[in-house]
Amino acid sequence: QAASKLQPRLPSALCPQRPRKAMKTAAAVVLASLVGAAAKCPGSASFVHASCQVEVDVQASCDDVRAEMLARVGGQSTGKWYDPHNKGTYSVIESAGSLTLQRVTRDKKYTDKIGFDFKATAASTCVVSGCSESQVFSVADFSTNYCNMRMMYCGSAEDCKPVLHDFGVTESSVSPSFGASHDPSACLKVVARPLEFLN
């Protein structure tokens, strides 16, 4: 009877194998590299909302890029800088490590949140990854989320007005959400629309 309880053993080739530790480690490294390739989006209270992500190659050190962004935000109160895109108001939420900003529209009705990550590369250049998200229900955004970010890194070559550092930029990737847009020309003017749509 003891012999009847023995179960036949399958050939090892047919048995399910546990993932090896090395394979798990490699997968984790790949996943981490993919996650780190883009800025962490700041999040939104609205499930459906417009957004945009960018990756920008900047011909400057990451320290100079961060300093210029903070100088533009700070320059609003001193008259050294203003937002050319419908005169919104930027403020700093978090500046340790990554940079998180908030932009409120001129009519004070709408708020967007913007996140930037900085990665130093060779030859004193910097890769900036950005993500901007509307905080209310929205689909079309008239390039607002794109402009939220572009106004922080564009230089004189893009007809912007730097405060501390003027540098060359190349937008290697621009990814707006469905219905959102990314028109650079919209960033440098006050659009003639009813005030409730100005953002």
Side-chain angles (χ1 to χ4, degrees):
Q1 292 184 354
S4 64
K5 294 181 179 180
L6 295 175
Q7 299 296 323
R9 296 185 63 183
L10 293 172
S12 58
L14 299 179
C15 293
Q17 300 292 318
R18 292 183 178 180
R20 295 181 180 180
K21 185 177 181 179
M23 293 178 66
K24 288 184 177 179
T25 302
V29 170
V30 171
L31 180 60
S33 66
L34 290 175
V35 172
K40 181 180 179 182
C41 291
S44 174
S46 176
F47 180 73
V48 177
H49 61 276
S51 66
C52 186
Q53 296 187 57
V54 298
E55 186 164 293
V56 187
D57 298 319
V58 184
Q59 300 302 309
S61 69
C62 290
D63 287 344
D64 283 355
V65 177
R66 285 175 58 89
E68 176 61 23
M69 289 183 176
L70 291 171
R72 293 185 190 189
V73 176
Q76 296 170 116
S77 61
T78 63
K80 290 184 177 180
W81 187 84
Y82 72 92
D83 176 20
H85 180 237
N86 295 322
K87 297 183 179 179
T89 301
Y90 287 84
S91 59
V92 178
I93 298 176
E94 178 62 51
S95 60
S98 299
L99 184 61
T100 305
L101 306 176
Q102 176 175 283
R103 180 181 176 274
V104 179
T105 55
R106 187 178 60 172
D107 60 9
K108 312 298 183 185
K109 288 186 176 181
Y110 304 104
T111 299
D112 302 325
K113 290 184 178 179
I114 310 125
F116 288 109
D117 286 330
F118 308 87
K119 182 180 179 182
T121 60
S124 298
T125 61
C126 183
V127 175
V128 178
S129 299
C131 179
S132 176
E133 293 186 288
S134 300
Q135 297 300 298
V136 296
F137 176 86
S138 54
V139 178
D141 70 348
F142 305 100
S143 296
T144 293
N145 283 287
Y146 168 65
C147 294
N148 287 345
M149 298 178 288
R150 183 178 173 88
M151 293 301 89
M152 288 289 100
Y153 57 74
C154 57
S156 59
E158 292 75 40
D159 295 324
C160 293
K161 295 182 178 180
V163 178
L164 291 178
H165 305 289
D166 189 8
F167 32 65
V169 298
T170 302
E171 292 175 335
S172 57
S173 175
V174 180
S175 304
S177 60
F178 176 79
S181 49
H182 56 99
D183 177 9
S185 67
C187 302
L188 297 174
K189 60 185 178 182
V190 176
V191 181
R193 292 197 299 270
L195 189 59
E196 63 266 28
F197 294 109
L198 284 177
N199 52 31

